Amino acid sequence: MNICVLGTGYVGLVTGVVLANQGHYVICVDQNADKVKSLSAGKPCIYEPGLEPLMNKALKSHTIRFTQDLAHGVKSSDIIFICVGTPQNEDGSVDMTQYQEVLTDVIHALNEPKIIVNKSTVPVGTAKWAQEYIKQIRPGMPCEVVSNPEFLQEGRALQNTLHPDRIIIGAKSLNAIMAMTKVYDKLEAPIEVCSVESAELIKYASNSFLATKISFVNWLAQMSEYYGADVTEVTKGMGSDHRIGHEFLNAGIGYGGSCFPKDVSAAIHMSDSAFIDCGILKSVRDINRYMPKLYMSLIEEELCGLQGRNITVWGLSFKPGTDDTRDSQAIKFINLLLERDANVTAYDPVATLETGLIKQSKNIYDSADGADAICLLTEWPEFMNTDTSDIFEQMRNPVFLDARNVMDSEKLKQQGWTYLSLGRLH
Ligand code: UGA
């Protein structure tokens, strides 16, 4: 099939590359000339394991192309995937500017009726609105707007896209359902067909539910700390009930990234707009906002204040396997340290920050030079594999804050470290 993908961020680029390797002809459109140039030369603008070779394979076989020419992409394709960013407004609602602009451009470029697919995360009701909008601008151009939400995780995007748990298709007509089934016919994954509104809500429901699991265990970590339980034992015991499962039960400094915080806020906003009480998600958000403060207070108490203290943070990205620092809890934690006049040095295997306010180390051992504490904020495997007895020698004060519960605490204690965590006995 001929497919046009609008937007080459995480979702657009991964979708385009995967479809281009499955026998489709894909044109990826982006308005950024530098990005198009770099992508055409085989260089992805994001760090995603396995993406570069797969993208180059498609470029070599001419099944993928990158261009700024939206009209050309639309005219040459049967199906148009909208994958542009839908960031958050200050009031928590979704900023639909890019989506509306791109949809308007698509409508003007249409040469015949096509299927328009919303892959961007958009509020429930968007597909219905878009359908009406097309009718208003091009009454003689009956296009169907389908909702096909994306569930890829950064750092595991290819794996998630090639082996999804399910493919959700919210569509009305048999024609659209058949076309979408054909798009994915090489993937061995169950296809669930539903109404467009259900598909749109499935996306928010899934992300909000996963965020709820995380805030729930972060509440449990506080309970464990107070009542002398161990949160890792509690979550292991809970997760062994197959109805609960072990995934997304890792307590720690909380969730970040470009999806969970934004989608929880959008779900709250949609709920408030419908006058439906949303206390549950407001608590999820509040617990998550509180976690960096809670971890900061552990270190502040241990060091009897943070002013002038040398604090080393390990991890800047919102999770391992990505260079993405958007809405990272690590940044919130660093800001709290800076507010208290601490000297911050950061080390991350991949991510960097554009700021002069902290020192960024290129080497994990150098990062600990003269430090009063190390705070592990992102669970990169490198941190668990580092020889902490060597690091110990660099420290002015051997305090280790493990904000992801991933270190061997007994080993650290034997080496002489003061090990700090929340809700862990061992
Ligand atoms: C999330 C969803 O998992 C994807 O299914 C979805 O497609 C994507 O959002 C999206 O909407 O585009 P992602 O943001 O890449 O994916 O990251 P996750 O792996 O879900 O992690 C999110 C955050 O939760 C991270 O900060 C991570 O450290 C934190 N987390 C995760 C925990 O604190 N504890 C856990 O047990 C799991």
Side-chain angles (χ1 to χ4, degrees), residues 99 118 122-132 145-147 196 200:
Y99 175 85
N118 287 344
V122 289
V124 184
T126 299
K128 194 172 173 198
W129 169 85
Q131 197 81 59
E132 283 304 310
V145 183
V146 166
S147 170
V196 279
E200 289 168 335

Side-chain angles (χ1 to χ4, degrees), residues 151-154 203 207 248 250 255-256 259 318-319 404:
F151 300 102
L152 64 82
Q153 287 172 279
E154 287 182 27
K203 173 69 192 193
N207 276 2
F248 279 72
N250 297 325
Y255 61 80
C259 306
F318 79 97
K319 64 173 188 178
R404 292 288 179 183

Side-chain angles (χ1 to χ4, degrees), residues 177-402:
I177 295 166
M178 278 168 60
M180 290 301 291
T181 308
K182 209 168 153 201
V183 169
Y184 293 115
D185 68 353
K186 292 250 164 55
L187 293 180
E188 276 176 35
I191 291 184
E192 292 180 23
V193 177
C194 57
S195 73
V196 279
E197 287 78 11
S198 298
E200 289 168 335
L201 192 52
I202 286 168
K203 173 69 192 193
Y204 285 104
S206 303
N207 276 2
S208 300
F209 190 76
L210 291 169
T212 303
K213 281 183 103 172
I214 298 168
S215 282
F216 184 87
V217 294
N218 287 338
W219 164 75
L220 265 184
Q222 296 170 63
M223 291 288 282
S224 301
E225 182 73 28
Y226 186 85
Y227 286 104
D230 186 311
V231 69
T232 57
E233 291 173 354
V234 176
T235 49
K236 186 165 175 265
M238 276 171 69
S240 300
D241 183 330
H242 73 274
R243 294 170 303 173
I244 297 173
H246 290 286
E247 288 193 52
F248 279 72
L249 289 187
N250 297 325
I253 197 165
Y255 61 80
S258 61
C259 306
F260 283 0
K262 163 178 89 80
D263 291 350
V264 168
S265 290
I268 292 171
H269 193 269
M270 280 187 270
S271 181
D272 282 346
S273 309
F275 303 103
I276 297 166
D277 180 70
C278 196
I280 183 166
L281 285 189
K282 287 179 182 163
S283 299
V284 167
R285 184 182 60 185
D286 291 346
I287 290 173
N288 200 55
R289 284 181 178 164
Y290 177 57
M291 293 317 289
K293 291 187 198 125
L294 189 51
Y295 275 100
M296 189 275 303
S297 69
L298 295 181
I299 199 100
E300 188 173 38
E301 208 169 288
E302 178 63 32
L303 297 176
C304 302
L306 288 168
Q307 196 178 20
R309 292 295 200 163
N310 298 333
I311 310 295
T312 295
V313 300
W314 283 358
L316 293 170
S317 57
F318 79 97
K319 64 173 188 178
T322 173
D323 62 350
D324 194 345
T325 57
R326 283 177 290 175
D327 241 318
S328 168
Q329 295 289 83
I331 315 281
K332 286 170 194 151
F333 184 86
I334 290 172
N335 285 335
L336 293 169
L337 295 177
L338 292 174
E339 274 170 24
R340 281 154 184 79
D341 293 325
N343 308 313
V344 181
T345 300
Y347 171 74
D348 187 289
V350 180
T352 51
L353 289 185
E354 283 187 21
T355 171
L357 295 174
I358 64 168
K359 197 174 143 203
Q360 297 185 59
S361 199
K362 289 208 161 52
N363 177 296
I364 191 162
Y365 292 96
D366 294 348
S367 74
D369 226 1
D372 291 306
I374 287 184
C375 305
L376 186 157
L377 309 176
T378 313
E379 65 278 33
W380 283 98
E382 182 182 348
F383 304 155
M384 285 86 99
N385 298 329
T386 292
D387 185 347
T388 39
S389 56
D390 277 358
I391 298 282
F392 186 89
E393 301 301 326
Q394 322 273 333
M395 303 289 294
R396 186 164 76 174
N397 200 9
V399 174
F400 200 108
L401 174 74
D402 182 2

Side-chain angles (χ1 to χ4, degrees), residues 51-77:
L51 184 63
E52 192 167 336
L54 208 61
M55 185 174 123
N56 279 290
K57 194 172 156 218
L59 277 167
K60 234 179 179 174
S61 57
H62 304 289
T63 53
I64 199 164
R65 268 185 300 146
F66 297 95
T67 176
Q68 282 180 277
D69 191 345
L70 179 141
H72 169 69
V74 169
K75 285 185 178 37
S76 343
S77 306

Side-chain angles (χ1 to χ4, degrees), residues 57-105:
K57 194 172 156 218
L59 277 167
K60 234 179 179 174
S61 57
H62 304 289
T63 53
I64 199 164
R65 268 185 300 146
F66 297 95
T67 176
Q68 282 180 277
D69 191 345
L70 179 141
H72 169 69
V74 169
K75 285 185 178 37
S76 343
S77 306
D78 316 306
I79 301 195
I80 295 130
F81 280 83
I82 301 185
C83 303
V84 295
T86 47
Q88 190 182 322
N89 286 319
E90 260 177 31
D91 65 355
S93 61
V94 183
D95 178 352
M96 295 291 283
T97 317
Q98 288 179 58
Y99 175 85
Q100 284 167 359
E101 274 173 16
V102 118
L103 179 67
T104 308
D105 290 345

